[in-house]
Amino acid sequence: MRKATMMAAGLLAAACSGGDLGAAATQPAAALPQGTVMMRKVEVMDPSGFARPMVAATALIPAGWRAEGGIVWGSFGQCGGDYANRWSMTSPDGASALYVMPVPNWTGVRSVYPTGQQPQDSCEKAFYSSAREYLEATARRLHPQGRILDYRPLPDEAKPIQDVIAQFPPINDQNMQSRIFADAGEVLVAYQENGRDVRETISALVVITQARFADMMNPGQVAMEMTSGFPGSLTIVKAPNGALDLNLRKRVQSSVRFTPEWSAEIARFQARKNKIVSDGMTAAHEARMDAIKKTGEVMSGIYKQNDLASDRNQREFIEYVRGVETYDDPVYGGPVQLDNTYDHAWRVNNNDAYILTNDPNFNPGQYNIDARQLKVTQ
């Protein structure tokens, strides 16, 4: 179960991606009204994954911000996904930022009988039973002098994976009780940085496995407990107190789209790996992992772009999983998906930028922006 779940965790790690960065900032001539944002497109590079640098994905970041980093491979060996994202984007004044970073899985073993020396690996040794426990411990580790102000569960973000898991009941009998589930959340932290009062959110989507084994010598007792957690990556957003944008993470994550070329390389890589990992799996467990993999690909933005226009059921499933709305983009010449918490979207005509707003009366011409309003794909 551990190897197969690690395969799923590697897919979850790709749910946020980052970018290359040399593109010039796109900024309106005047500040946009509150609640209206402009996002520009950047490329996400994989500098070494397939023997040559490749554009792995594209993503939208706030206009005027700069980003750096991209896809990294094998950050934590057997205690992490095959590939992950290590990148950041920073506001022009450097006061606000978004970071995506790979993190190791955690494992924990408790036994009433001596088990000898624990194996030495890069996995964190812990018994977190929820995303909240994990994120609060992470916040205390990152900011020992900080204060945890709040925690927000994100059930909608965990639900697609949890729905898949629920289709395949875990193994439970008189000798073993097991559970596998998905959990997501976000913790809010306050701390001082260079004399400035800062607010920061730390979020993750985690797959957790738990197992209890019966004590054969003492019926009714538990001989050993094991747990593993697969967070894949953390997303951190920070800003001065009063300026934290709680919607920034979702705007960026929902815009990520992997390129067909890189997706094809990943598919071939996974096919080779899955052939090895699948040896010894039960058919039911292999089916579970395949379903989690496919859902993880949708969450990560790996899917055929043509399906958005030609297959309405597929498009609606993607919209549900990723929290996006699909628009017809006349400049790009195809469908584009943007954060569905905004009711209206505009495409800037002279560069790869989009404006998102809930204001039905917004007029980009008032801000010297040449843009056209996008229509929702029917």
Side-chain angles (χ1 to χ4, degrees):
M1 181 167 70
R2 183 173 183 270
K3 287 184 179 180
T5 310
M6 285 176 65
M7 177 176 68
L11 291 163
L12 295 178
C16 307
S17 297
D20 152 14
L21 299 202
T26 302
Q27 291 181 304
L32 294 174
Q34 185 174 4
T36 298
V37 296
M38 181 184 288
M39 307 288 285
R40 70 177 178 94
K41 185 181 291 186
V42 296
E43 293 180 339
V44 182
M45 297 301 297
D46 181 349
S48 60
F50 298 102
R52 68 187 191 282
M54 294 184 68
V55 178
T58 60
L60 299 179
I61 70 171
W65 288 40
R66 296 189 63 82
E68 59 184 354
I71 304 294
V72 294
W73 286 78
S75 299
F76 299 101
Q78 292 298 307
C79 288
D82 295 308
Y83 58 90
N85 310 285
R86 187 186 299 278
W87 74 298
S88 64
M89 61 177 67
T90 309
S91 64
D93 62 3
S96 300
L98 182 150
Y99 306 93
V100 179
M101 61 182 65
V103 287
N105 307 328
W106 75 77
T107 61
V109 179
R110 293 174 179 151
S111 177
V112 297
Y113 301 106
T115 57
Q117 186 176 0
Q118 292 290 322
Q120 298 298 309
D121 54 37
S122 58
C123 296
E124 180 182 355
K125 303 301 184 290
F127 254 87
Y128 307 126
S129 61
S130 66
R132 179 170 189 164
E133 288 185 11
Y134 170 68
L135 288 169
E136 289 183 347
T138 299
R140 287 190 287 268
R141 182 169 62 251
L142 293 177
H143 305 292
Q145 306 303 316
R147 295 177 291 121
I148 296 176
L149 301 179
D150 196 10
Y151 176 80
R152 178 174 64 151
L154 301 172
D156 290 347
E157 298 188 20
K159 190 175 187 301
I161 292 293
Q162 188 58 41
D163 286 348
V164 172
I165 293 171
Q167 298 176 31
F168 304 91
I171 300 172
N172 287 301
D173 56 30
Q174 62 181 359
N175 296 321
M176 183 181 76
Q177 298 290 310
S178 65
R179 181 188 181 204
I180 177 171
F181 62 99
D183 193 17
E186 183 176 74
V187 66
L188 176 64
V189 187
Y191 60 94
Q192 295 289 314
E193 182 179 66
N194 299 323
R196 175 182 288 159
D197 188 18
V198 175
R199 295 294 181 269
E200 178 175 294
T201 59
I202 308 172
S203 61
L205 168 61
V206 186
V207 174
I208 300 174
T209 67
Q210 299 170 332
R212 292 185 174 187
F213 299 90
D215 188 339
M216 300 301 182
M217 304 299 294
N218 299 285
Q221 302 297 312
V222 175
M224 183 170 63
E225 293 180 83
M226 300 178 63
T227 187
S228 296
F230 307 92
S233 64
L234 291 176
T235 302
I236 297 173
V237 181
K238 75 168 188 176
N241 186 16
L244 184 64
D245 183 352
L246 295 176
N247 297 318
L248 176 60
R249 177 182 62 87
K250 184 175 184 295
R251 284 204 305 276
V252 174
Q253 287 183 348
S254 63
S255 73
V256 175
R257 278 288 291 114
F258 285 88
T259 65
E261 296 77 15
W262 194 81
S263 297
E265 293 284 4
I266 285 292
R268 286 189 283 269
F269 170 82
Q270 290 289 352
R272 294 191 297 270
K273 179 180 177 181
N274 292 351
K275 185 178 185 305
I276 298 172
V277 173
S278 64
D279 293 343
M281 276 192 200
T282 66
H285 189 59
E286 189 167 3
R288 183 213 300 252
M289 292 302 105
D290 184 60
I292 290 176
K293 171 182 176 292
K294 290 178 179 177
T295 303
E297 288 176 346
V298 170
M299 297 179 73
S300 303
I302 299 178
Y303 46 83
K304 294 181 180 178
Q305 185 75 6
N306 290 341
D307 289 348
L308 298 179
S310 61
D311 188 333
R312 183 168 184 170
N313 290 334
Q314 172 74 352
R315 184 177 76 241
E316 290 177 348
F317 174 69
I318 292 171
E319 290 172 348
Y320 156 70
V321 170
R322 305 193 72 218
V324 295
E325 182 65 86
T326 305
Y327 297 89
D328 297 320
D329 185 342
V331 179
Y332 171 72
V336 63
Q337 292 185 319
L338 303 170
D339 184 354
N340 66 3
T341 57
Y342 293 88
D343 296 332
H344 307 279
W346 295 74
R347 177 61 147 89
V348 180
N349 288 322
N350 58 359
N351 52 52
D352 282 338
Y354 297 86
I355 300 172
L356 304 176
T357 182
N358 286 316
D359 181 2
N361 299 314
F362 174 74
N363 180 359
Q366 294 178 347
Y367 302 90
N368 297 322
I369 301 172
D370 179 19
R372 66 183 77 180
Q373 189 166 8
L374 300 181
K375 295 182 179 179
V376 173
T377 301
Q378 300 302 313

